[in-house]
Amino acid sequence: MTTAPETSRRQRREAAASSNGKAADRKNGAGAKRTNRAKSEARLGWLIAGPAFFIMLAVTAYPIAQAIYDSMFSFRLTSPDDRSFVFLQNYMTILSDTEVFWSALGVTVLVTVVTVAVELVLGFALALVMHKALKRIRGPLRTAILVPYGIITVVSAFAWYYMFDINSGFVNNWFGWVPGIDSDLDWFANFGTAITVIMASEIWKTTPFIALLLLAGLAQVPDELVEAAKVDGASWRQQMTRVILPNMKAAIMVAVLFRALDAFRIFDNVFIMTNGAANTEVLSLLAYRTSIGRLEIGLGSAVSVILFVCVLLICFIAIKFFKVDLASGTDAKGGK
Amino acid sequence: MGESQGSPRRGRKVRAAGTALAAALLLSGCSDSGDVPVLTWYINPDDGGQATLAQLCTEEAEGAYEIRTSLLPADAPSQREQLARRLAANDSSLDIMSLDPPFIPELAEPGFLAPVPEDVAERTTEDTLEGALAGAMWNDELVTVPFWANTQLLWYRESVVEEAGLDMDEPVTWDQVIETAMEQEKLLGVQGTRAESMTVWVNALVESQGESILANPEAPAVDLQTNLDTEVGSRAAEVISLIGSEGLAGPGVASMDENQSMLLFQGDSGSFMVNWPFVWAATNAAAEEGVVDEGLVDDIGWAQYPRVVEDTASAPPLGGINLGVGADSENQELAFEAIECIVAPENQTEYFITNGNPPSSEAAYEDPALEDDFPMADAIREALENAAPRPQTPFYNEISTAIQQEFTPISGVSAEQTPAQTDAFIVEVLRGERLL
């Protein structure tokens, strides 16, 4: 049995609940259920992703930590007993070496900037072609454009090397009519020509990658916007700069970041074509030659750590200053 | 319920049976040659000669051991890297290793090589040619057994020397070689690429003047002293610089290795070439296949490596392969037994005839069968007696890389500056003050 005041309180409560509607629902019973569900989902998430997370830790974090530790020793593989702790001495040696380290860093930055810039332009042109291509030829066209990217880098490096090599190459014969090219031109003897061939092979191989990323970006630009711009009488150039490019910003920035990181770690092309001769040494080659060639584990680890820091720096700059949104289009930021 | 429990049980049974079967297979695989110890011989790539010798010695051992070969990478620096990494990791599979002489001190110094028993050392080096023996030692001790030796000769085109009126029975100098090529507007076959071959060339030019690149090769890294910033080093740089600045080695010299210089020498502008004896077999094969002119083979002559100074005999480069035993090998005694079989003079002769690699044993040259295939065998033997190894130090790789960097491209070499710069560079690198 309920008393009158009690009844009226309950009625008021119910009335308030019904007026608050969904908000009240969320706060009371339904909310508690969701929390439990969220918890079990999180548990399931860990169960599924946990092994991958620990494997990632084992294969990336552990070697990085080991490299940082090793970089503080003077340690040569063929002289295991002479291992001594030198703290940051290896880094000082590297950073004070203008001729080798800073030159290698300069070449690496040059390759990164030039190849990414050229690839961006070419890649965008290819993406436009693929986007506009007739449906019938779209498939074969994409496949054709993707072929260079499917070739293993070492293989493409050898192909380019043999093409330009003065003894076996055909470039000097075929392009003898171009000013500056004659049968006596040894492409790999001078910095200018050698780095040009290296960068050209890099551009040839990875432009399709950028083209694909940009094609995805192009496909995301809403047709209505372009139509509206056309109706408003915008020229092709205006459509590009005012509508298409701004709407593709995320895709462009992701393409630039990925390629910049890739280009900064360039190794195969230089290794095959010049092996660092004619001042074409890059950071990864320096790291390889120091740790694997010279078997100087300490010094080599220090070069690798510096290379790693440079890569982190590129990521940081891109994400912080250019606002690259790596989570765009995914659910990763849904909770934010 | 019963079914759902039964399935995993059946699965377990199947797995257990599978494991047992796999184990049985593995065991039977091992017991296949279980009683015969297997020796692994890490070989450098050749024309199959080392594999044949492995088989031959396995047969001769009559069940005492079995030699199996394992192929190393193609180029010497990569071979060194792989061996050094395996040795440093205490890999016990390194029973026998084919080692390039310049890398021996680096592996011997940290104790990676098993000591050669005295009796084996005595028997295997009885008649080893002097140059080859020098390359097998470290700290005055024999640490490897010479297997075959290599050296460079001066190859020339008969037509060119005839026109120049050079008497090739007499020793010739680099100056004469350069002068002849210039006069007749011909090209010289040298190795100007940034690789090991550049160190080979610089070292031969220095050694041919009776000096060595290192003043104290056995010293620790920080105390090593180099000898390039001297008159001897300057003269060596002068020879290289002249060839480079005059374009005497052709436009492709910056990427010219042993094979490329052979191709240049085989061409119409060929005159002289310093190179290893493999070029003889290769040119003959090319002539047989019709790749090069048939008359070319008859136009090729050979002489001792050119002198730098007129009255000092040249010291040609030393190459080849020595055999070492890993310090962690579990079959060291058997490995040395096998090595004795492999390096027997008759095997070295056979290896020379079939694979073109010259013997390190003097007796191996006495086989008359050699004369047909290698008419220059005597010249090779003579060169091997005078041959000088590259700097023998555990830091050879650093010194070699520094030389390669400073002496390439050869058009940029200066007799006044390059030797001094190289000296300073080597010392700074060895002291850990700068990168390489």
Side-chain angles (χ1 to χ4, degrees), chain A residues 76-78 80 93-94 97 99-101 165-167 184 186 189 276-277 286 288-289 292-296 299, chain B residues 80-81 84-85 88 106-107 110 112 194 251-255 260 394-395 397-398 401 405 429 432-436:
Chain A
R76 198 188 157 79
L77 206 57
T78 49
T93 307
I94 295 166
D97 196 318
E99 260 180 64
V100 179
F101 174 73
D165 180 41
I166 188 168
N167 301 301
D184 282 357
D186 187 355
L286 179 65
Y288 167 82
R289 282 202 310 104
I292 311 289
R294 288 180 63 189
L295 305 167
E296 291 273 7
L299 206 58
Chain B
R80 162 191 166 270
E81 282 163 23
R85 284 209 299 270
E106 189 182 27
L107 303 180
F112 288 166
R194 184 157 133 183
V253 66
S255 49
Q260 299 294 357
F395 309 100
N397 190 50
E398 271 83 356
T401 313
Q405 290 190 4
V429 166
E433 289 161 8
R434 61 178 298 182
L435 289 167
L436 191 57

Side-chain angles (χ1 to χ4, degrees), chain B residues 109-124:
Chain B
E109 178 69 14
F112 288 166
L113 301 179
V116 183
E118 259 176 53
D119 53 330
V120 176
E122 252 173 57
R123 287 194 294 268
T124 52

Side-chain angles (χ1 to χ4, degrees), chain B residues 98-305:
Chain B
S98 290
L99 300 168
D100 218 349
F103 306 136
I104 290 169
E106 189 182 27
L107 303 180
E109 178 69 14
F112 288 166
L113 301 179
V116 183
E118 259 176 53
D119 53 330
V120 176
E122 252 173 57
R123 287 194 294 268
T124 52
T125 56
E126 267 173 352
D127 66 343
T128 301
L129 294 162
E130 210 154 298
L133 190 60
M137 319 269 286
W138 171 240
N139 272 342
D140 298 326
E141 234 177 82
L142 190 82
V143 289
T144 55
V145 176
F147 168 35
W148 60 272
N150 213 356
T151 188
Q152 291 197 350
L153 294 175
L154 173 67
W155 303 86
Y156 59 86
R157 299 284 285 265
E158 298 273 10
S159 50
V160 173
V161 297
E162 246 171 56
E163 202 177 318
L166 271 180
D167 178 8
M168 295 305 286
D169 290 332
E170 293 294 313
V172 289
T173 62
W174 277 101
D175 286 339
Q176 285 173 303
V177 166
I178 290 170
E179 206 176 306
T180 308
M182 274 165 87
E183 271 172 13
Q184 298 187 29
E185 294 182 357
K186 297 274 182 184
L187 297 176
L188 292 178
V190 290
Q191 292 88 48
T193 185
R194 184 157 133 183
E196 187 65 24
S197 53
M198 184 46 76
T199 314
V200 168
W201 191 11
V202 173
N203 187 61
L205 290 172
V206 172
E207 290 281 350
S208 291
Q209 298 174 71
E211 293 285 343
S212 296
I213 289 177
L214 292 183
N216 51 347
E218 281 160 22
V222 285
D223 300 327
L224 264 185
Q225 282 169 5
T226 44
N227 242 345
L228 284 171
D229 191 13
T230 56
E231 214 168 291
V232 172
S234 166
R235 179 79 188 99
E238 198 178 17
V239 171
I240 295 173
S241 150
L242 190 60
I243 295 174
S245 58
E246 294 288 339
L248 284 176
V253 66
S255 49
M256 197 176 281
D257 57 13
E258 288 88 347
N259 205 44
Q260 299 294 357
S261 49
M262 175 182 77
L263 297 178
L264 180 89
F265 176 73
Q266 289 173 347
D268 292 340
S269 354
S271 59
F272 295 91
M273 165 176 71
V274 282
N275 214 332
W276 309 96
F278 82 95
V279 296
W280 179 246
T283 310
N284 273 291
E288 264 171 43
E289 285 167 20
V291 180
V292 297
D293 191 42
E294 267 182 32
L296 175 71
V297 175
D298 297 329
D299 195 35
I300 293 180
W302 50 85
Q304 292 300 302
Y305 199 80

